[in-house]
């Protein structure tokens, strides 16, 4: 390898055409999955205070939102349900006429090409805010599995293309795969939140969903942020159980995990640019402290550069607009 003055890396940075030619990572709207919060009703549109620009929508509003995303080139949405009522076991999660199920039906009816992903978890639906059945102050792993499978099945019956378990129970991918296959839904894919840490960056989401745990925290089932090797074990196990794609969450503080997963596994890898990451950008931008557009595109580029095939992000609509589809 030659060096300066023969080699001058600035030669290929001199104008935008040159930079375009040598750009290694290309960001495009077709890598985005937009989260949508849904609740039962009509014409509901409640802005979430800590997520400016993100709303709790009734199925009609979710359809309109999905249509504008699709028109901007965003191929997929992920639905989160806000229940009418919560109970100890989160039973609204698997009601066939609950908000998520109803929205899935509307979306698949009217926008058949849109990829509809559903978040499978109980925390939004339980009165205590934990992701499973609580016994003696602890979330009971094996007792929770049938409820997750039941929830995934009701999403599949409504027409979901992909179900995405985010609970971090051991064995849930296998339990869901078995339930889906047993009911004729071999074609429904599983995107597992495989390496999901117990993170402070979910704060705004929990405000949106009212899912802050009423006692304790999630450290007994979500991963310790300090552990990268364990994240690889989580991913390997979920793939062995039948996950079609795996997710790292959050994204920004975990780009090393995304990177290592990319190197080690050939399965599609998603990263979730979570609510707290979005809220920080919005807060700083609203004060004029950062350039929102450039920061968002830089963040999303870095997640893709680290190795994510697709990115779940609340910036999806803005970024798609900026990318000029
Ligand atoms: C659980 C779930 C959470 C998020 C996605 N799925 C919250 C949690 O684990 O507490 C967080 C997403 C975000 O912060 O944007 N159903």
């Amino acid at each position: 390898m030659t060096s300066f003055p023969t080699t001058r890396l600035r030669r290929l940075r001199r104008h935008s055409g040159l930079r375009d030619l040598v750009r290694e990572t290309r960001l495009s709207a077709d890598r985005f999955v937009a989260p949508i919060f849904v609740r039962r009703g009509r014409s509901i549109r409640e802005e979430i205070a800590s997520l400016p620009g993100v709303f709790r929508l009734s199925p009609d509003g979710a359809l309109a939102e999905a249509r504008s995303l699709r028109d901007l080139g965003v191929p997929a949405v992920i639905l989160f349900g806000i229940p009418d009522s919560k109970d100890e076991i989160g039973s609204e999660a698997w009601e066939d006429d609950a908000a998520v199920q109803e929205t899935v039906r509307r979306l698949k009816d009217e926008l058949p090409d849109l990829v509809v992903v559903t978040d499978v978890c109980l925390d939004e639906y339980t009165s205590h805010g934990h992701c499973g059945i609580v016994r003696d102050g602890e979330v009971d792993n094996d007792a929770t599995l049938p409820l997750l499978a039941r929830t995934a099945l009701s999403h599949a019956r409504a027409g979901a293309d992909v179900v995405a378990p985010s609970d971090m129970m051991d064995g849930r991918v296998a339990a869901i795969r078995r339930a889906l296959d047993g009911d004729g839904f071999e074609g429904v894919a599983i995107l597992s939140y495989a390496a999901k840490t117990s993170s402070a960056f979910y704060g705004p989401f929990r405000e949106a969903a009212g899912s802050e745990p009423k006692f304790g925290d999630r450290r007994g089932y979500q991963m310790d942020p300090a552990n990268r090797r364990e994240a690889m074990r989580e991913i390997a196990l979920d793939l062995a159980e039948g996950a079609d794609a795996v997710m790292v969450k959050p994204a920004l503080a975990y780009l090393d995990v995304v990177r290592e997963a990319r190197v080690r596994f050939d399965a599609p890898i998603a990263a979730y640019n979570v609510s707290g990451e979005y809220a920080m950008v919005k807060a700083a931008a609203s004060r004029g402290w950062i350039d929102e557009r450039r920061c968002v595109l830089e963040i999303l580029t870095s997640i893709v550069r680290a190795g994510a095939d697709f990115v779940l992000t609340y910036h999806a609509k803005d970024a798609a607009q900026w990318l000029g589809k």
Side-chain angles (χ1 to χ4, degrees):
M1 197 163 132
T2 59
S3 62
F4 180 79
T6 311
T7 299
R8 291 177 182 267
L9 294 183
R10 286 184 55 185
R11 284 188 198 114
L12 296 179
R13 293 179 200 149
R14 287 184 59 219
H15 61 81
S16 69
L18 285 167
R19 292 192 293 272
D20 286 347
L21 285 178
V22 300
R23 182 160 302 118
E24 298 175 34
T25 305
R26 286 177 209 282
L27 195 61
S28 52
D30 57 10
R31 291 188 184 271
F32 302 153
V33 180
I36 301 182
F37 294 93
V38 294
R39 51 181 306 181
R40 278 179 172 138
R42 285 201 54 208
S43 309
I44 296 173
R45 186 177 168 83
E46 304 163 348
E47 191 165 30
I48 298 153
S50 53
L51 294 174
V54 182
F55 300 82
R56 296 188 201 89
L57 300 169
S58 41
D60 53 328
L63 177 61
E65 180 70 9
R67 189 172 274 127
S68 59
L69 284 158
R70 197 257 340 242
D71 291 346
L72 287 164
V74 176
V77 298
I78 179 166
L79 303 179
F80 295 94
I82 311 293
D84 284 345
S85 63
K86 304 191 185 222
D87 62 25
E88 281 286 304
I89 60 170
S91 57
E92 199 172 314
W94 57 84
E95 281 177 15
D96 284 327
D97 64 352
V100 166
Q101 289 81 349
E102 178 60 23
T103 306
V104 171
R105 279 190 293 271
R106 298 279 301 267
L107 293 177
K108 291 310 293 184
D109 261 3
E110 310 213 20
L111 303 169
D113 295 336
L114 182 79
V115 178
V116 177
V117 185
T118 57
D119 183 80
V120 174
C121 196
L122 302 176
D123 63 320
E124 296 101 308
Y125 300 91
T126 53
S127 44
H128 43 73
H130 281 288
C131 299
I133 293 195
V134 175
R135 292 226 170 107
D136 303 324
E138 250 195 88
V139 175
D140 185 326
N141 191 91
D142 296 12
T144 300
L145 298 180
L147 306 186
L148 294 168
R150 206 165 156 182
T151 303
L153 203 49
S154 81
H155 295 171
R157 264 198 303 274
D161 299 295
V162 182
V163 293
S166 63
D167 50 281
M168 291 300 279
M169 296 303 117
D170 290 319
R172 92 278 207 192
V173 172
I176 290 172
R177 187 71 271 160
R178 208 173 311 121
L180 292 174
D181 291 356
D183 236 40
F185 295 105
E186 303 82 1
V188 172
I190 299 177
L191 163 62
S192 114
Y193 287 68
K196 172 175 177 180
T197 62
S198 179
S199 169
F201 287 100
Y202 308 149
F205 176 96
R206 291 183 189 170
E207 185 216 313
S211 60
E212 189 61 40
K214 299 294 177 291
F215 66 90
D217 54 41
R218 302 211 210 287
R219 281 183 278 196
Y221 42 104
Q222 298 180 345
M223 278 188 50
D224 184 332
N227 295 354
R228 187 173 52 222
R229 295 197 309 263
E230 188 187 353
M232 297 305 116
R233 297 183 73 197
E234 282 284 5
I235 291 170
L237 283 168
D238 283 6
L239 290 172
E241 286 180 31
D244 299 282
V246 289
M247 193 196 302
V248 175
K249 175 184 172 195
L252 279 188
Y254 299 86
L255 291 182
D256 60 318
V257 178
V258 174
R259 180 72 204 145
E260 185 156 345
R262 171 75 297 144
V263 171
R264 287 222 211 169
F265 300 99
D266 290 327
I269 293 169
Y272 198 143
N273 176 214
V274 299
S275 59
E277 299 173 336
Y278 174 86
M280 291 192 301
V281 169
K282 295 302 267 191
S286 76
R287 295 179 171 214
W289 290 350
I290 58 170
D291 177 331
E292 179 175 356
R293 174 180 172 148
R294 290 190 55 202
C295 282
V296 167
L297 295 176
E298 185 174 334
I299 284 169
L300 295 172
T301 299
S302 74
I303 296 169
V304 172
R305 189 196 61 228
D309 296 294
F310 57 103
V311 186
L312 291 78
T313 179
Y314 303 93
H315 298 294
K317 201 174 179 181
D318 288 337
Q321 237 145 12
W322 294 327
L323 290 166
K325 273 275 163 177

